[in-house]
Amino acid sequence: MYVDFSMTEHGFITETNYGTLHISSDEEHGFRPYQLMTASLAVCSGGVLKKIMQKQRMDVQDIAIRTNVERSGTEADEITKVSIHFVIDSHDKNDKKMLKNMELTRKYCSMVQSVKDSIQVEETYEWK
């Protein structure tokens, strides 16, 4: 699958089915690359978690996701750790199932698996 990017004065853009995505190192002109990486990890994990819970016939009213990003502070300032915290609204509050769900989420999220050897990804949850 090809995705084309075009250079702009402040970064790059790409056209999607949902509109133009602006990417820039300056937040005033678009999403920063680390924000897109964080979003990919968080939302992929959230989607996988939702599917797992639904397959188990667990009631899922809502999943909110809170992230925290740690960067190296070196010249490249690469991402070293992403913490993903799920706040789950469900009537089926089963911690034993959720611990297994967290393992399965990590295993089946393609974005987490893509970075597992270079970025530490930590998933936690709480019930709403």
Side-chain angles (χ1 to χ4, degrees):
M1 174 182 185
Y2 292 100
V3 179
D4 295 320
F5 296 88
S6 301
M7 190 172 73
T8 67
E9 181 181 352
H10 300 288
F12 289 84
I13 60 171
T14 186
E15 296 298 327
T16 73
N17 292 336
Y18 306 102
T20 303
L21 177 62
H22 295 264
I23 306 163
S24 175
S25 60
D26 182 344
E27 274 186 44
E28 290 184 24
H29 299 287
F31 290 99
R32 294 182 61 196
Y34 88 90
Q35 292 170 321
L36 294 171
M37 174 68 78
T38 304
S40 294
L41 293 167
V43 175
C44 176
S45 293
V48 170
L49 176 60
K50 178 182 174 184
K51 285 181 185 176
I52 290 168
M53 291 180 72
Q54 288 173 333
K55 282 186 178 185
Q56 294 175 345
R57 300 187 189 278
M58 292 179 78
D59 171 56
V60 183
Q61 298 297 312
D62 186 36
I63 299 175
I65 304 170
R66 204 176 303 135
T67 62
N68 185 55
V69 179
E70 294 179 23
R71 299 178 73 179
S72 69
T74 62
E75 190 172 327
D77 204 18
E78 66 271 13
I79 296 171
T80 56
K81 180 179 180 181
V82 176
S83 299
I84 303 170
H85 184 72
F86 302 103
V87 180
I88 303 164
D89 188 1
S90 172
H91 298 297
D92 300 321
K93 294 178 169 86
N94 183 323
D95 288 318
K96 186 175 179 180
K97 274 188 182 180
M98 282 308 297
L99 291 175
K100 181 66 175 171
N101 291 349
M102 292 288 100
E103 291 175 24
L104 293 171
T105 296
R106 171 178 285 281
K107 179 178 179 181
Y108 292 112
C109 173
S110 61
M111 296 296 100
V112 170
Q113 289 301 307
S114 295
V115 303
K116 69 181 179 184
D117 296 326
S118 57
I119 299 173
Q120 180 185 356
V121 179
E122 171 186 71
E123 299 99 344
T124 57
Y125 76 94
E126 69 181 86
W127 299 110
K128 183 174 180 183

